Amino acid sequence: MQLFYEPNFDSSAASISINEMESRHISKVLRKSIGETIYLTNGLGICAEGILISNHPKKCKVEVKTIIEEKKPNFRLHIAIAPTKANDRFEWFLEKATEIGIDEISPLLCDHSERRKIKADRYEKVLQTAMKQSLKYRLPLLNPMISFNDLMKSDIDSKKMIAHCEDDTKEKLSGTVNRDNLILIGPEGDFSIDEIKKAIKHEFLPISLSEARLRTETAGIVACHTVNLMRSL
């Protein structure tokens, strides 16, 4: 099974026209022939199985045969994480978190952040590719970069947690997972003391992800995996 992404299809439609980028991949790269089976997702939990009826490189078209709806997960995970100085490391986090399972990602601008701008279009493509590769039907929401202070002002209903490296008393993430979780992951230099104090003041629970000191992107993956593991038990 090979999955393609078309965000603008109606699940009740008899046929679906595919965007130019995916159409080019289907017709020019993979050389799919008319009559072959094609699988499309809209990134919102729905997959359409259909037959290719037009393989034009600018607009392929599929006749829908079956609609598959992915079961909605019984938990939600939002990670707000400081992008790493090395862009490829942050892209690695986006890719692997999507494969494991994550609902929302917020690039976080902190006092010690070394990367203060993001490549949103590039990151979106990384998420799409990872979704298709892992045969998932839900595309994680990538938010614009938000400052730590602005996040503190946000109206948040999730269980709020902050992972940091200071030697304060912290709970283990594995024992604090809820149905709806927001976890903050800091930059390479960790959160500042002021940020940690501010988060605790705003009712963020300090948590530990490991006895070792982890890189930012590794911490993000550990958090992502732990939440998915605990909710599957």
Side-chain angles (χ1 to χ4, degrees), residues 139-195:
L139 182 69
L141 173 63
L142 177 66
N143 293 318
M145 180 175 271
I146 185 172
S147 71
F148 185 92
N149 288 333
D150 284 345
L151 182 63
M152 291 298 108
K153 299 173 186 174
S154 301
D155 186 14
I156 302 169
D157 294 327
S158 310
K159 180 166 186 180
K160 301 180 293 186
M161 293 166 274
I162 179 170
H164 64 79
C165 300
E166 292 299 315
D167 293 331
D168 301 342
T169 301
K170 292 175 282 190
E171 299 287 337
K172 289 186 177 180
L173 174 58
S174 57
T176 63
V177 172
N178 204 338
R179 285 188 175 274
D180 192 347
N181 307 274
L182 168 60
I183 301 173
L184 307 188
I185 306 290
E188 282 92 334
D190 199 12
F191 292 108
S192 67
I193 298 299
D194 286 345
E195 287 172 332

Side-chain angles (χ1 to χ4, degrees), residues 100-161:
I100 295 168
I102 191 169
D103 299 283
E104 188 173 354
I105 301 164
S106 293
L108 189 61
L109 182 61
C110 304
D111 288 344
H112 297 158
S113 289
E114 293 188 273
R115 177 172 291 278
R116 310 189 76 82
K117 293 182 180 179
I118 62 171
K119 300 178 179 180
D121 291 345
R122 168 64 187 167
Y123 293 168
E124 193 67 39
K125 290 178 182 177
V126 171
L127 296 176
Q128 292 173 16
T129 299
M131 174 188 68
K132 293 186 293 182
Q133 185 276 328
S134 56
L135 300 181
K136 290 181 177 292
Y137 304 154
R138 295 186 186 277
L139 182 69
L141 173 63
L142 177 66
N143 293 318
M145 180 175 271
I146 185 172
S147 71
F148 185 92
N149 288 333
D150 284 345
L151 182 63
M152 291 298 108
K153 299 173 186 174
S154 301
D155 186 14
I156 302 169
D157 294 327
S158 310
K159 180 166 186 180
K160 301 180 293 186
M161 293 166 274

Side-chain angles (χ1 to χ4, degrees), residues 4-6 17-32 52 54-61:
F4 300 95
Y5 177 51
E6 172 46 64
S17 294
I18 305 174
N19 62 80
E20 185 175 347
M21 185 172 68
E22 291 288 58
S23 291
R24 189 183 307 112
H25 189 62
I26 290 169
S27 63
K28 292 292 188 181
V29 179
L30 299 175
R31 299 184 181 277
K32 295 285 187 181
L52 189 64
S54 171
N55 61 352
H56 192 283
K58 289 192 175 182
K59 186 181 285 188
C60 288
K61 197 170 185 179

Side-chain angles (χ1 to χ4, degrees), residues 70 73 75 77 79 92-103 105 127 130-131 133-136 138 140 217-232:
E70 187 177 70
F75 71 95
L77 174 59
I79 292 183
W92 179 85
F93 160 75
L94 296 174
E95 178 183 82
K96 301 310 175 189
T98 301
E99 291 177 14
I100 295 168
I102 191 169
D103 299 283
I105 301 164
L127 296 176
M131 174 188 68
Q133 185 276 328
S134 56
L135 300 181
K136 290 181 177 292
R138 295 186 186 277
E217 71 275 18
T218 309
I221 294 303
V222 169
C224 186
H225 176 263
T226 300
V227 171
N228 277 271
L229 179 62
M230 297 308 299
R231 295 311 306 170
S232 67

